[in-house]
Amino acid sequence: MAAEQQNRIRVTEYLDLDIEKEKWHCNRCGKELGAARENYKRCLLIHDRDPREIHPPLVSGEYNFSPDPLWVRIVEFYCPGCGVQMETEYLPPGHPLTWDIEIDLDSLKKRLQSGEYKIRKQRLEVSE
Amino acid sequence: MPIPTLAEKLAWLKPSPPTPHEIECAAKLAQGDYEIGAQITNDILDEAMEIFVRSSRSYFGVSGDSMVAIFTANGDLINASCGTYLHAIIQPIVIKFIQKYYAENPGIHDGDIWYTNDALYGGIHNPDQVALIPVFHEGRLIAWATAALHTTETGAVEPGGMPVSAKSRFEEGLNMPPIKIGENFKIRNDFLEMYSVYGLRAPAMFISDLRARCTTADRVRVRILELVKKRGEDFVIGLMRKMLDTAEAGAREKVKHLPDGKFRSVVFNDAIGWTPALVRACFLTLTKKDGRLVFNFEGTSPENPSSYNVHTQAVVGHIANFMYEYFFHDLPICSSTFAPIDFEFPEGIILNPDKLAATSCCVYIGMQARCATHNAFAKMTFSSASLWQQVAASPGSQHTAQICAGVSQWKLAISDVLSFSLNTQGQGGRAATDGMDSYGFAWCAFGRAPDSEQVESELPLSVMLSQHWRDSCGHGIHRGGSGAVQQWMVHKVPDIVSLCMGNGSKVPLGQPMFGGYASSPIPGISVKKTDLLKQMKEGNPELTMDHREIMEKATVHGDWTYELIARTPKVYQEGDLLFGFSGGGPGYGDPLERDPEFVMEDLKKCLISDWTATEIYKIAYDHERRKVDIEKTNQQRAAERKSRLARGKSYGEFEKEWNKKSPPKEALIYYGTWPDAKSTGPVFRP
């Protein structure tokens, strides 16, 4: 494993956390995204998707197997480096985006330093 | 009135501290006693569950939407057979209530049969009824045995036990706080008479289910006493204590693997009763700190004057369904697994309504708390080497809960829910693989769907088709499991009354995971005055029983109606058709990363359409031979990634436009203030 990845853990399928540098990274292209004490979504590209483009109507009329685009939108979050779709949220239009991951970095560092946790294959393991 | 307070309920969820006698008994267990003893409790419970399923009459009972459980003398759950985990963690509330308030008057005695179905006192909602039997040995209370089951009738303002139009608990029919219904091992006749009038719409089912609960709980009692006779009372008491201690240690060990932090998820619901209405059904902040997990629901929409509210412990019940299917999947179903978990419910939210609130349709909102838990847990768990493979998107939760009432072809009064017949929602996409197709009923993963023939033999319906619902799954690297579709035709009777509960016609329920897409919404569909029987009699060679073709090409003629899934009671005549759907699971990960060969497999299995393979997964392939053109697929996918980079906006730029938007005002009548979902005033109930 490359030295720069030894302090890196996977937080989602696409989001890595460099614990030492306190930075978010894209898991696919490795791009440094931004400060890990901030909402990682602030570092991504965002698109307001009409849900009918993903769930097309199968019949005519108001109830047609497709979401009502006035009630809900698909908010797509892309890595600005490689364009992978890192996250999606189905939200009513205008609803605040969710700050979904707020890892306590100080606690994590402390547990790693104390040997309570170790990193193996980019994941946290509790030491026996 | 000693209606349990929120503080009491939350305290009673926790295991009671061990007594000196319990500690002494546990210390006396010899090597191997625990393992053998725990397995004996499994055997007792599995036998009882078999009895339960075989002696129940309602289709939820036949499907195993039930739980049989053993508790300590103090009311702490030590093991259960499921069925559904909904009841697992919360029944201690009922036992501890009985012990606190009724120990003196009317007293708790050998031979008692206790009963309740009131969510205010610790249940899920009033169709879920539980029989509780104390287990005495030589005059000492040593344990409790319970049997819980959903019966699809309560004598409410509508048939089916989950009145959609109920605006307060007074319109829900039978809501019975814990009460002693039998003494000396016999159900009292005066109680039976009082009880039976609430089941007049379907008396055979109503009374049979009551007896099934009591019989089942009593079988557990008998088997526990046999174990006492064989191994001694101290062995059983010590075993139960050790089971509590071992389960708690297991839960704490798992929690240790999670990083500290805050993890949030927000989910929405699109109908309140029969009214299309948007609510923030669950705003969950899950905090992990120093070996504890705290679920906080601040930001959830306010309560409303319908039956789509959830009492707090029923929220916990829905979360228990997630915990035991995934996070605690290898731990016993035991009160102490929740020892490191706390809950914070603000007053007046849809997940903590007033005592007068109707909650009979609570499962549609409670399920959203489970969906939010999936997402918050995923983000907390993915970094763990030992737990990441348990990450999964929520199950599909939209479904057609069609109620069928009237007189059957056997001239029997009926009132039942057809959701058991589907029992086939898709599992959410998982970190390591796809969600299972038609994995089960999202509220009762281990229930079984009765055969269509059984449905047809007992209800005046024919199941015309039963298939995977094409394109119902959420897309992703690991797609959600497919949902299912059935078509029910009124048959062998002139007519029935039918109504429908449910949600998910305008907004996909649950959230997808890590860049996947959610599953499709479902409308309510009926066809009156159809020519289906005529076409079948005439042997029309053009007629295929493919659900998409029937809908999209309207190959069955008649008066088609597409409407909100929740529908008011209507009369349907012989030959009329109703469509029932169970939702697919949301997807996991970016669909552009799905292996093209897996997409071809999905096409072969008729789980997705060519449109989806081409437009969502961006696969280039020969449609006849289903052979993938890898090079062209890679080009198409690269082009789509490039398009994303071009159309994506920075956070600030996005928010500038996004924050100006809002849903239409008519969608927000029950939402609360926009967008933070604060209460806009008191709720008035009849």
Side-chain angles (χ1 to χ4, degrees):
Chain A
M1 184 187 294
E4 71 270 14
Q5 293 211 347
Q6 281 174 2
N7 288 306
R8 212 179 268 192
I9 58 165
R10 300 192 66 179
V11 175
T12 78
E13 179 67 37
Y14 301 108
L15 188 67
D16 288 357
L17 167 63
D18 185 322
I19 297 165
E20 198 173 282
K21 293 182 183 159
E22 299 193 0
K23 296 286 183 194
W24 296 121
H25 286 260
C26 172
N27 174 273
R28 294 301 191 260
C29 69
K31 184 178 172 62
E32 182 182 302
L33 298 170
R37 289 183 190 268
E38 298 291 327
N39 182 357
Y40 69 95
K41 290 177 181 171
R42 289 187 170 275
C43 325
L44 306 181
L45 295 175
I46 312 176
H47 175 59
D48 169 12
R49 168 83 86 164
D50 185 330
R52 292 171 298 186
E53 294 171 14
I54 302 299
H55 311 279
L58 302 182
V59 293
S60 57
E62 184 183 355
Y63 296 99
N64 53 24
F65 295 94
S66 187
D68 185 331
L70 298 176
W71 285 45
V72 69
R73 312 292 294 183
I74 305 174
V75 181
E76 298 178 342
F77 299 89
Y78 313 132
C79 167
C82 63
V84 74
Q85 188 161 285
M86 297 183 85
E87 185 66 18
T88 42
E89 280 197 85
Y90 283 59
L91 296 174
H95 187 281
L97 308 180
T98 312
W99 186 358
D100 52 355
I101 301 172
E102 209 179 329
I103 289 179
D104 184 338
L105 277 170
D106 297 325
S107 157
L108 184 55
K109 284 179 173 181
K110 208 168 126 191
R111 284 168 203 267
L112 281 163
Q113 276 158 14
S114 72
E116 186 183 340
Y117 288 163
K118 60 185 175 194
I119 297 174
R120 188 171 65 89
K121 292 184 181 170
Q122 286 200 275
R123 286 202 159 87
L124 296 171
E125 208 171 58
V126 174
S127 305
E128 296 301 325
Chain B
M1 284 174 72
I3 293 171
T5 62
L6 175 59
E8 273 180 316
K9 286 178 178 178
L10 295 178
W12 287 341
L13 289 174
K14 303 280 185 192
S16 316
T19 64
H21 181 55
E22 285 176 332
I23 294 169
E24 195 184 314
C25 291
K28 283 196 278 188
L29 292 179
Q31 195 171 15
D33 276 355
Y34 167 74
E35 290 77 8
I36 292 167
Q39 183 54 42
I40 290 171
T41 64
N42 285 335
D43 296 342
I44 290 172
L45 292 164
D46 287 347
E47 180 204 33
M49 179 57 95
E50 190 66 29
I51 288 165
F52 207 3
V53 169
R54 285 169 188 261
S55 53
S56 300
R57 184 69 188 268
S58 70
Y59 277 113
F60 272 69
V62 172
S63 304
D65 192 328
S66 41
M67 186 187 86
V68 190
I70 300 171
F71 301 78
T72 65
N74 286 328
D76 293 317
L77 175 75
I78 61 115
N79 201 358
S81 181
C82 302
T84 171
Y85 298 123
L86 274 176
H87 311 288
I89 286 304
I90 64 175
Q91 275 177 11
I93 294 171
V94 177
I95 297 174
K96 291 176 185 182
F97 174 86
I98 291 169
Q99 291 184 320
K100 179 170 179 182
Y101 292 106
Y102 298 149
E104 295 296 319
N105 177 6
I108 302 165
H109 307 294
D110 196 10
D112 282 357
I113 306 169
W114 294 79
Y115 206 78
T116 182
N117 74 329
D118 195 335
L120 207 48
Y121 291 80
I124 296 289
H125 55 165
N126 64 334
D128 280 322
Q129 306 181 17
V130 57
L132 309 102
I133 294 187
V135 182
F136 280 86
H137 178 243
E138 295 177 350
R140 291 181 295 277
L141 177 66
I142 60 164
W144 287 81
T146 68
L149 158 66
H150 182 125
T151 289
T152 41
E153 179 54 36
T154 54
V157 290
E158 295 149 21
M162 291 169 63
V164 180
S165 68
K167 293 178 287 300
S168 76
R169 63 183 268 116
F170 308 115
E171 295 175 339
E172 294 183 308
L174 181 71
N175 254 320
M176 195 168 58
I179 187 169
K180 193 189 292 194
I181 66 165
E183 290 161 326
N184 300 317
F185 309 105
K186 281 191 180 157
I187 303 170
R188 286 169 52 151
N189 282 339
D190 54 347
F191 169 78
L192 264 183
E193 192 59 26
M194 186 283 288
Y195 179 80
S196 63
V197 294
Y198 283 94
L200 284 177
R201 288 193 187 108
M205 173 186 81
F206 202 62
I207 299 296
S208 300
D209 280 6
L210 165 75
R211 292 189 185 281
R213 292 181 189 93
C214 299
T215 300
T216 303
D218 193 58
R219 177 60 65 96
V220 174
R221 182 190 68 85
V222 167
R223 294 295 190 219
I224 292 172
L225 289 178
E226 284 173 2
L227 184 60
V228 168
K229 197 174 171 193
K230 200 171 168 189
R231 302 295 304 268
E233 187 181 302
D234 285 0
F235 172 82
V236 173
I237 290 170
L239 173 67
M240 290 194 290
R241 184 69 247 166
K242 177 115 187 200
M243 289 176 76
L244 282 166
D245 293 346
T246 307
E248 181 170 341
R252 291 194 185 282
E253 180 60 28
K254 276 181 182 281
V255 172
K256 232 193 310 183
H257 288 249
L258 303 169
D260 287 356
K262 287 182 191 294
F263 305 88
R264 298 182 189 86
S265 179
V266 58
V267 290
F268 302 88
N269 182 53
D270 64 358
I272 291 298
W274 288 312
T275 308
L278 196 61
V279 291
R280 194 149 80 176
C282 181
F283 193 118
L284 170 63
T285 301
L286 178 59
T287 302
K288 156 73 188 11
K289 189 163 175 57
D290 297 336
R292 299 202 70 74
L293 291 170
V294 180
F295 286 73
N296 180 293
F297 300 99
E298 186 81 45
T300 301
S301 279
E303 59 180 307
N304 60 72
S306 82
S307 57
Y308 284 52
N309 296 287
V310 199
H311 284 305
T312 48
Q313 76 285 342
V315 177
V316 177
H318 280 84
I319 290 169
N321 257 343
F322 162 79
M323 296 297 271
Y324 287 119
E325 278 183 44
Y326 294 93
F327 191 60
F328 289 157
H329 71 97
D330 50 355
L331 293 181
I333 304 158
C334 189
S335 284
S336 55
T337 52
F338 272 56
I341 304 174
D342 291 307
F343 296 90
E344 295 173 351
F345 292 94
E347 267 184 34
I349 61 170
I350 197 169
L351 304 178
N352 182 16
D354 184 73
K355 58 184 178 296
L356 299 185
T359 64
S360 42
C361 284
C362 75
V363 291
Y364 299 111
I365 302 297
M367 177 52 76
Q368 304 317 310
R370 173 190 172 156
C371 293
T373 304
H374 271 261
N375 286 65
F377 248 83
K379 285 156 188 173
M380 182 170 61
T381 310
F382 197 80
S383 60
S384 163
S386 61
L387 298 170
W388 72 272
Q389 291 196 53
Q390 291 302 315
V391 165
S394 56
S397 62
Q398 59 270 48
H399 80 145
T400 312
Q402 196 82 38
I403 290 164
C404 172
V407 178
S408 76
Q409 64 271 40
W410 310 109
K411 310 291 180 212
L412 290 171
I414 49 159
S415 171
D416 217 322
V417 182
L418 279 166
S419 52
F420 68 86
S421 165
L422 283 161
N423 233 352
T424 46
Q425 274 133 350
Q427 186 186 29
R430 292 173 279 180
T433 185
D434 290 344
M436 270 184 269
D437 299 322
S438 298
Y439 99 113
F441 189 42
W443 289 265
C444 171
F446 300 106
R448 69 179 190 98
D451 297 335
S452 292
E453 288 77 8
Q454 189 176 352
V455 177
E456 291 171 336
S457 73
E458 301 230 358
L459 296 175
L461 298 166
S462 285
V463 182
M464 307 306 287
L465 63 84
S466 188
Q467 299 165 358
H468 283 309
W469 165 24
R470 195 147 63 252
D471 283 336
S472 59
C473 53
H475 312 303
I477 311 174
H478 303 142
R479 63 167 174 79
S482 176
V485 52
Q486 288 195 339
Q487 189 192 62
W488 304 305
M489 183 177 66
V490 181
H491 198 194
K492 299 175 231 164
V493 293
D495 47 42
I496 60 164
V497 171
S498 187
L499 62 145
C500 194
M501 308 168 281
N503 49 351
S505 290
K506 289 175 87 72
V507 172
L509 301 177
Q511 293 282 2
M513 194 162 282
F514 302 160
Y517 289 115
S519 49
S520 295
I522 48 171
I525 307 176
S526 57
V527 198
K528 291 191 169 187
K529 298 178 187 163
T530 69
D531 64 351
L532 178 59
L533 272 182
K534 187 167 166 270
Q535 288 196 58
M536 292 176 85
K537 270 182 197 161
E538 290 170 358
N540 178 3
E542 303 296 313
L543 179 69
T544 67
M545 291 309 285
D546 175 87
H547 68 282
R548 287 281 293 264
E549 196 168 309
I550 290 173
M551 286 187 299
E552 290 169 55
K553 296 184 182 165
T555 52
V556 173
H557 307 107
D559 299 337
W560 283 77
T561 304
Y562 286 86
E563 56 193 327
L564 191 74
I565 187 91
R567 280 159 283 167
T568 54
K570 293 186 187 80
V571 174
Y572 294 89
Q573 293 177 331
E574 184 164 29
D576 289 352
L577 295 173
L578 293 157
F579 281 79
F581 297 92
S582 55
Y588 173 105
D590 183 349
L592 293 187
E593 295 197 333
R594 184 164 178 75
D595 185 329
E597 290 304 330
F598 291 174
V599 179
M600 294 299 106
E601 278 298 309
D602 294 342
L603 278 171
K604 277 183 207 159
K605 291 179 185 166
C606 294
L607 298 177
I608 63 166
S609 61
D610 284 312
W611 183 91
T612 298
T614 310
E615 300 300 324
I616 303 292
Y617 291 107
K618 304 290 180 193
I619 310 283
Y621 63 101
D622 179 324
H623 285 226
E624 294 269 307
R625 294 185 298 145
R626 295 204 172 116
K627 186 165 170 48
V628 177
D629 181 336
I630 292 289
E631 199 182 325
K632 202 169 168 201
T633 296
N634 289 341
Q635 283 169 6
Q636 287 181 183
R637 288 180 162 186
E640 176 57 19
R641 289 192 188 94
K642 213 171 157 188
S643 300
R644 289 172 176 174
L645 294 175
R647 68 177 175 249
K649 293 178 178 163
S650 70
Y651 195 95
E653 204 184 345
F654 177 83
E655 269 203 326
K656 219 180 277 173
E657 282 180 33
W658 179 254
N659 289 349
K660 291 177 197 158
K661 297 177 182 179
S662 72
K665 269 189 186 153
E666 62 270 21
L668 299 174
I669 50 174
Y670 295 125
Y671 182 93
T673 54
W674 174 260
D676 51 357
K678 302 264 186 227
S679 171
T680 54
V683 173
F684 295 101
R685 295 187 168 93

